[in-house]
Amino acid sequence: MLRKNALAAPIGAVLLCAAGVHAADAPARDGVDDLPRITVTAIGSAFRFDVPATVSVIDRQKMDRHLVVDIRDLVKYEPGVSAVGTAGRWGLDSFNIRGLDGNRVAILTDGVAASSSFGFSTTGMRAGRSFVDPDTLKSVEIVRGPASALDPSDALGGTVRYVTKDPADYLRNGRDVYVSVKERYGSADRSLGTSLTLAGGTPTNGIVFVANHREAHAPDNKGDVDSADYLRTRPDPLTQDTTSVLAKYVHVASSGREDRVTADLYRNDVDTNVLSALGQAGTTRLSSDIAQDRATRTRLSVGQRYANIDLGIADRLEWDAWWQKSETESSTRTLANVPSRGATYDRLYLSDLDERLFGGKLTLYKTVDDSVQQRIAYGVEASRTTPTGQLGGEGRDVRTGIVSSSAPYMPESYPLRFFPRNDTDRYAVFAQDEIVLLDGRLRIVPGVRWDRYAFKPDRDDPYFDGSFVQSGLGEVRGSRFSPKFGVTYAMNDAVEVYAQYAQGFRPPLYNELAVAWGTPRLYGIVPNPSLKPETSKGVEIGVRGNGELGYFSASAYYNRYRDFIFGGYTLDRGQWPQWALNQNLLIVMQAVNFPKATIKGVEASAGLTLGALSDALQGWRIEGNLAAAKGDKQVYGASGWSPLNSVDPLTAVLGISYDARSWGVELIGKGVRRKSRLDSSTAFQAPGYATLDLYAHWKPTKALEFSAGFTNLTDRKYWDWGSLHGGVLANVGSTDGGGVDDAQVRNAQIDRLTMPGRAVAASARYTF
């Protein structure tokens, strides 16, 4: 173990807060993708050592004690990671990792990719990527950057791996039935939730069933204007119902073969009275806007693990196959007054965005124990994604009662197709080797991944008959090799240094290549079938230590991107198509390739177990982390560099905790610097802030456990930068092309986007 004086110095040097935490080592497992020596922490996550990258794990205990109900709660204290999306009708979308968000972050649930972010227009055609209930998860692993050849190369920002619960998490020899019920309440959104977990069988032949239901309302932010128009700063009234079901069967044969079958269902219903859309002057003025949105995901997966095989080319084999359907349906009813016509129309918009995915992955592993030990992993992966989407609806003249799906009863003639039915095929071949030298102190990890994609639009789709479509859209294909190379060196049993180089490759998505749309006298979107794939090259160096006194980790990284895809670029009027000129639009946007972008930054975490210094301090821990980054881009058609708005401001976390045998408390402070580096002088600069949170847990009996959280104790008014990425601030918060602003909220009152004030959450779980 690391001596006390040897570890205290680097902890203080890395982070002045000299944070502290109880460090525990997890047993190492065989296999290239298994990363041993997990340091368990209280605030942040469990850092994985012996891997040439920054990889962290958030376990089930941490999710329970921090009363996690969504992805913002999940990564609240994670350095260099945040959640993106608003707390209103559209909700949370995805993650931001080291300055990149949206579709540049891979989100995998048991290895199955989440659907793409998509959204634009006043009509409510939007879809996020937050299709998981944290109560179905046993752990979350976060990888910064495209570090592993075994993961998709389009994860330019990083990869979030959700791992769902297994029967063996609850069953033991002698306990063949497990039942627990958890109830939760949160005052911030007046939410109530129930979670039921059932498991039966044995650890080697069992089934687990997890069902969750949660009801919530609009969050209680710091706005104080409750008017029924666009001037309101209170959230729009809404109700939300979320239901999820996970069922998994796992069988482990005597030979070591493991069979898995999983069914995963998720549904989120949101009913919103969009008062903030009412009363704005313009060509159309709304006096009513009622929305109903439903997001569902269904996943079926099967797979096997062969732990002990002798194929010559492999001694371990894994395969998985999956089918997934993600769908977002929206109904928006408005009462729209058109002054130029002296008429009022009762309009109903019906949108449906459906993305289906099926695919599979085969991975083989081989351990070579010659003079040089090697752990080799290689395999293939293939998938097909088929999205469909359309907007329908009809309008009724309130005075005459005439109903029609054409103008002027509706803004355009409906139904409309924004993009053609298409298939996107992806293929990948990957290989990675872990070479162990110098009695295990030196590990060299070379890897390479070859990705190929093909976007195949259906030329017979009604989309091609629309008035917004331009010629030139056909099949789009591309491929690329993405090499990875990492090195770790253990200076002693507790301290190691590492370095890595990794390339990434993200092809353009259907919603960047093919979306076409126009709203008369408002805005339009032009497809761009000439988009190039974006690529990245990144380096990271770091040092970390782990011992009985605590842990520390510090890293610096530099990432460079070429052909950076930006989805909200405003075209000059001379570049507009004729249909846009005919409609007298205000702006026309298109997805384009920016020549270059760069992001560089530093991250540091440290922890100290005070009980290792004195027996009187047993159970006490202090820890903290720090993340700072800077991003810039070269804009298409312009010279020079400008700030990349998606990069989070500097963030620091400091906490102290005490854990006894049956109870514990934790006090966490978080400070965020002002968001001042923006590419527009008129954009809102979210001010800096500091918050204080208190958590407590108590287990009076073996069967009963209570948890409580008191957040924003000082009742601070603040804006989370990720909450401004929801399309409100004219692309200030979005550089991934995932959505275009709603015209109806372009002049939104910024106080409406403040975060909740002082709030309390509590849960109770009983195990039968």
Side-chain angles (χ1 to χ4, degrees):
M1 284 293 181
L2 188 65
R3 293 193 301 271
K4 295 179 181 179
N5 58 352
L7 182 60
I11 290 178
V14 171
L15 199 59
L16 293 178
C17 63
V21 115
H22 177 68
D25 292 343
R29 295 174 294 175
D30 294 333
V32 183
D33 61 341
D34 293 327
L35 310 174
R37 290 175 53 200
I38 300 176
T39 300
V40 178
T41 71
I43 293 176
S45 58
F47 289 93
R48 288 181 179 259
F49 288 68
D50 295 337
V51 56
T54 301
V55 181
S56 53
V57 178
I58 302 172
D59 62 15
R60 182 69 254 166
Q61 183 185 75
K62 194 177 318 304
M63 286 185 264
D64 287 338
R65 291 186 177 179
H66 288 175
L67 297 106
V68 170
V69 296
D70 57 36
I71 63 174
R72 176 166 283 134
D73 294 339
L74 183 69
V75 297
K76 186 175 183 179
Y77 308 114
E78 184 73 16
V81 184
S82 62
V84 175
T86 65
R89 172 185 180 184
W90 303 115
L92 296 170
D93 172 51
S94 60
F95 297 93
N96 183 305
I97 301 180
R98 289 183 173 177
L100 295 183
D101 53 34
N103 296 318
R104 292 190 178 97
V105 173
I107 302 176
L108 308 177
T109 304
D110 293 336
V112 181
S115 57
S116 302
S117 295
F118 179 90
F120 67 94
S121 98
T122 61
T123 56
M125 173 71 92
R126 288 201 178 183
R129 310 183 69 202
S130 182
F131 284 88
V132 70
D133 189 326
D135 269 331
T136 65
L137 307 177
K138 68 175 176 180
S139 67
V140 179
E141 185 174 283
I142 301 174
V143 183
R144 276 76 164 173
S148 172
L150 279 64
D151 288 337
S153 288
D154 61 357
L156 303 187
T159 301
V160 178
R161 298 193 191 110
Y162 296 135
V163 181
T164 58
K165 296 176 178 179
D166 285 333
D169 298 329
Y170 301 100
L171 303 175
R172 302 286 184 272
N173 292 329
R175 186 176 71 182
D176 55 5
V177 175
Y178 175 92
V179 180
S180 74
V181 177
K182 183 174 75 172
E183 298 290 334
R184 184 193 183 279
Y185 168 77
S187 69
D189 55 3
R190 292 171 293 147
S191 62
L192 290 170
T194 300
S195 179
L196 171 66
T197 302
L198 305 173
T202 68
T204 58
N205 188 34
I207 189 169
V208 64
F209 177 86
V210 184
N212 304 295
H213 181 74
R214 179 172 177 263
E215 298 180 359
H217 301 273
D220 186 16
N221 70 357
K222 300 296 290 181
D224 55 8
V225 178
D226 201 17
S227 59
D229 57 23
Y230 70 98
L231 296 175
R232 70 181 285 113
T233 59
R234 298 288 296 164
D236 290 323
L238 65 80
T239 58
Q240 176 177 273
D241 289 334
T242 304
T243 302
S244 67
V245 177
L246 171 72
K248 183 184 292 186
Y249 170 71
V250 179
H251 170 255
V252 182
S254 57
S255 63
R257 187 195 77 245
E258 182 180 297
D259 310 314
R260 289 176 171 265
V261 180
T262 304
D264 186 8
L265 311 174
Y266 175 90
R267 174 168 171 161
N268 184 48
D269 291 274
V270 181
D271 296 339
T272 311
N273 186 359
V274 192
L275 298 177
S276 60
L278 308 184
Q280 289 196 74
T283 57
T284 300
R285 176 173 294 189
L286 300 181
S287 58
S288 176
D289 189 331
I290 305 297
Q292 294 179 313
D293 306 294
R294 182 175 66 190
T296 60
R297 178 180 61 85
T298 303
R299 172 176 65 95
L300 301 175
S301 301
V302 295
Q304 289 184 312
R305 311 285 186 269
Y306 292 85
N308 302 298
I309 60 173
D310 186 10
L311 295 179
I313 60 172
D315 47 37
R316 179 176 151 211
L317 180 151
E318 299 179 359
W319 71 264
D320 293 280
W322 56 81
W323 174 88
Q324 178 176 268
K325 176 183 177 182
S326 303
E327 185 174 19
T328 301
E329 301 170 279
S330 295
S331 167
T332 307
R333 182 177 289 276
T334 67
L335 199 61
N337 177 260
V338 182
S340 63
R341 300 187 62 86
T344 298
Y345 301 101
D346 180 4
R347 291 171 171 172
L348 175 64
Y349 302 90
L350 300 170
S351 69
D352 185 5
L353 184 66
D354 181 312
E355 186 171 304
R356 304 188 185 207
L357 169 71
F358 70 88
K361 183 176 182 180
L362 171 67
T363 308
L364 297 96
Y365 302 88
K366 178 68 175 179
T367 299
V368 179
D369 285 317
D370 293 332
S371 57
V372 175
Q373 186 183 67
Q374 298 183 71
R375 298 174 180 174
I376 304 168
Y378 60 99
V380 296
E381 185 173 0
S383 68
R384 166 168 286 187
T385 303
T386 303
T388 57
Q390 69 174 6
L391 177 65
E394 62 182 20
R396 179 179 62 87
D397 189 314
V398 173
R399 180 175 58 86
T400 67
I402 297 175
V403 177
S404 174
S405 294
S406 302
Y409 300 87
M410 297 293 285
E412 286 292 337
S413 296
Y414 288 65
L416 289 172
R417 301 294 291 270
F418 304 129
F419 56 87
R421 177 181 171 86
N422 65 85
D423 294 323
T424 298
D425 294 335
R426 297 173 182 265
Y427 314 95
V429 179
F430 54 87
Q432 184 169 294
D433 189 8
E434 181 181 12
I435 304 169
V436 183
L437 302 170
L438 303 180
D439 295 327
R441 291 189 176 276
L442 177 64
R443 298 172 184 266
I444 302 173
V445 187
V448 66
R449 186 181 179 97
W450 176 81
D451 291 275
R452 179 173 178 80
Y453 77 99
F455 168 79
K456 303 175 180 179
D458 181 358
R459 295 293 304 183
D460 295 326
D461 190 89
Y463 162 91
F464 288 98
D465 299 327
S467 59
F468 310 125
V469 179
Q470 295 173 279
S471 61
L473 180 63
E475 288 195 14
V476 180
R477 299 176 181 269
S479 62
R480 185 179 176 88
F481 283 96
S482 301
K484 332 279 183 181
F485 184 81
V487 177
T488 67
Y489 178 72
M491 302 173 64
N492 53 45
D493 290 342
V495 177
E496 68 181 16
V497 294
Y498 70 92
Q500 70 147 336
Y501 169 82
Q503 292 189 11
F505 168 72
R506 187 179 84 88
L509 300 174
Y510 70 92
N511 52 7
E512 296 161 333
L513 291 165
V515 168
W517 169 254
T519 302
R521 295 174 296 280
L522 285 176
Y523 62 84
I525 301 173
V526 180
N528 186 359
S530 299
L531 272 180
K532 301 176 183 178
E534 55 186 4
T535 59
S536 70
K537 296 180 180 180
V539 295
E540 178 180 350
I541 58 173
V543 58
R544 52 204 174 193
N546 178 30
E548 62 182 4
L549 184 59
Y551 77 97
F552 73 93
S553 174
S555 63
Y557 59 88
Y558 176 83
N559 298 318
R560 185 179 65 186
Y561 310 92
R562 291 190 180 274
D563 296 318
F564 197 77
I565 298 174
F566 180 77
Y569 182 74
T570 302
L571 296 176
D572 294 332
R573 193 173 183 87
Q575 299 172 291
W576 289 15
Q578 187 60 45
W579 64 261
L581 297 171
N582 295 341
Q583 289 192 351
N584 192 27
L585 298 180
L586 297 176
I587 57 174
V588 174
M589 287 176 280
Q590 186 181 49
V592 299
N593 290 111
F594 285 169
K596 296 178 183 178
T598 63
I599 300 177
K600 55 187 175 183
V602 295
E603 294 170 358
S605 300
L608 184 65
T609 303
L610 300 182
L613 301 175
S614 169
D615 290 341
L617 299 176
Q618 288 294 330
W620 287 96
R621 302 174 293 183
I622 304 175
E623 70 168 341
N625 59 59
L626 174 75
K630 178 182 179 181
D632 294 282
K633 63 182 183 295
Q634 286 186 337
V635 177
Y636 168 77
S639 59
W641 293 79
S642 61
L644 188 63
N645 297 329
S646 59
V647 175
D648 285 333
L650 183 149
T651 303
V653 175
L654 176 64
I656 183 169
S657 64
Y658 175 78
D659 271 306
R661 180 180 296 274
S662 61
W663 64 277
V665 293
E666 186 177 6
L667 183 65
I668 306 174
K670 181 178 180 180
V672 178
R673 189 177 182 178
R674 180 182 184 88
K675 179 60 178 177
S676 58
R677 291 196 79 247
L678 295 170
D679 62 4
S680 171
S681 59
T682 61
F684 175 69
Q685 296 183 0
Y689 65 89
T691 58
L692 199 62
D693 303 330
L694 177 66
Y695 298 96
H697 61 273
W698 178 41
K699 194 170 185 178
T701 69
K702 185 178 180 180
L704 183 62
E705 183 174 6
F706 297 99
S707 297
F710 305 87
T711 55
N712 196 3
L713 289 172
T714 59
D715 204 27
R716 179 67 183 268
K717 177 180 178 179
Y718 71 99
W719 290 262
D720 181 86
W721 183 242
S723 71
L724 306 183
H725 287 212
V728 175
L729 298 178
N731 289 305
V732 167
S734 176
T735 58
D736 68 346
V740 175
D741 298 342
D742 287 342
Q744 62 190 26
V745 292
R746 183 167 296 151
N747 298 319
Q749 303 299 311
I750 196 63
D751 278 5
R752 196 185 310 138
L753 299 178
T754 52
M755 299 299 290
R758 187 183 298 114
V760 60
S763 71
R765 180 174 59 199
Y766 187 81
T767 303
F768 296 89

